[in-house]
Amino acid sequence: MKYSLKRLYRKIFPGYIIELEKAISDCKTLLDLGCGSSSPIKSFSKKFYSIGIDAFKQNIYKSERENIHDKYYTMNVLDIYKKFKNNSFDCVIALDLIEHLTKEEGFKLINIMERIAKKKIIIFTSNGFLPQKEYENNPLQEHKCGWTVEEMKNMGYEVIGINGWKILRGEYAYIKFKPKFFWSVVSDITQTIIRNNPKNAFQLLCIKYK
């Protein structure tokens, strides 16, 4: 009963994972940059060949234990062009990654992603600069820059607003107000409006087709 209610709730208020899975659904090969220890793709119903890339070894170890990806490399994402050829993956994704790079590094990575991808490039990031310190002994978790809807659209990306009204969330995407359950529901309700009005969203799901 509880599971059925949860499925019904998510059908009414589809969130990030559903939007992401829909965006990737037509792809058979995937390169996941900055895959972390628990990439969202682990919950997808459709399986495809995927490679996970992360510079933090502990993330790779944890992800390997869950068998999220078929193969892994511990390396700097800015060096992937040395290992992978142009048009070698249907889709290249960077989820919660580019905000951890400097602006210059971010533009460089996006350029590399667009060369390696055959069908589409997907980027998930904060809407504007969101301060965040390192955590879990991982200095790579610090935020160094922010990205706007205008910047992404100017590079040819379709932008979808994610995680509801921006004002409701703070560092690590945590709900800022109490009771958290109530404001989480409010956030989900605002998502229905924010999806197509990303300037007011907390995060941005950016998709570019080739």
Side-chain angles (χ1 to χ4, degrees):
M1 179 68 175
K2 185 177 179 181
Y3 180 70
S4 297
L5 288 174
K6 187 176 180 180
R7 287 186 63 184
L8 177 61
Y9 183 86
R10 278 301 158 207
K11 189 173 182 179
I12 298 171
F13 303 114
Y16 165 49
I17 301 299
I18 292 175
E19 292 282 5
L20 181 61
E21 183 172 14
K22 184 168 65 173
I24 296 174
S25 62
D26 62 338
C27 298
K28 295 181 180 179
T29 57
L30 176 79
L31 182 62
D32 189 351
L33 305 181
C35 64
S37 60
S38 186
S39 174
I41 75 164
K42 72 176 184 179
S43 61
F44 289 0
S45 56
K46 177 190 173 185
K47 300 302 177 184
F48 38 73
Y49 179 82
S50 65
I51 291 180
I53 305 289
D54 205 285
F56 193 57
K57 287 185 179 181
Q58 292 303 318
N59 283 343
I60 294 291
Y61 296 153
K62 290 177 183 177
S63 186
E64 282 180 322
R65 285 197 291 270
E66 291 193 53
N67 294 314
I68 297 174
H69 296 287
D70 297 283
K71 200 170 185 177
Y72 293 90
Y73 293 100
T74 303
M75 62 185 296
N76 188 317
V77 292
L78 294 173
D79 292 330
I80 58 172
Y81 69 93
K82 299 175 183 178
K83 184 170 288 291
F84 305 109
K85 297 178 181 179
N86 292 351
N87 303 309
S88 55
F89 289 86
D90 287 342
C91 183
V92 180
I93 64 175
L95 312 177
D96 290 311
L97 173 61
I98 60 172
E99 64 270 24
H100 298 280
L101 307 175
T102 66
K103 203 74 172 187
E104 182 181 358
E105 291 171 334
F107 280 119
K108 180 179 178 181
L109 179 62
I110 292 171
N111 182 263
I112 295 170
M113 292 173 68
E114 292 180 358
R115 295 205 312 263
I116 293 175
K118 188 189 305 181
K119 285 187 176 181
K120 63 181 67 172
I121 305 93
I122 298 176
I123 295 170
F124 182 62
T125 188
S126 308
N127 182 10
F129 180 68
L130 176 70
Q132 178 175 294
K133 305 180 185 71
E134 65 176 80
Y135 65 94
E136 295 182 343
N137 297 314
N138 183 0
L140 299 176
Q141 290 294 343
E142 179 187 0
H143 285 185
K144 296 182 178 180
C145 72
W147 298 79
T148 67
V149 174
E150 291 80 6
E151 285 177 310
M152 300 309 296
K153 284 187 173 181
N154 286 339
M155 290 188 287
Y157 285 79
E158 171 190 324
V159 182
I160 297 171
I162 297 291
N163 268 332
W165 193 22
K166 185 176 182 178
I167 198 173
L168 298 177
R169 296 178 184 269
E171 195 172 10
Y172 310 118
Y174 293 155
I175 292 291
K176 293 194 291 187
F177 309 110
K178 295 181 180 180
K180 292 190 182 296
F181 173 77
F182 171 78
W183 288 106
S184 291
V185 173
V186 172
S187 178
D188 286 339
I189 292 172
T190 64
Q191 174 61 30
T192 60
I193 301 169
I194 290 301
R195 186 192 185 279
N196 297 320
N197 296 277
K199 287 185 179 181
N200 296 311
F202 181 73
Q203 288 163 303
L204 310 174
L205 181 63
C206 313
I207 307 166
K208 185 171 184 177
Y209 302 88
K210 291 184 70 176

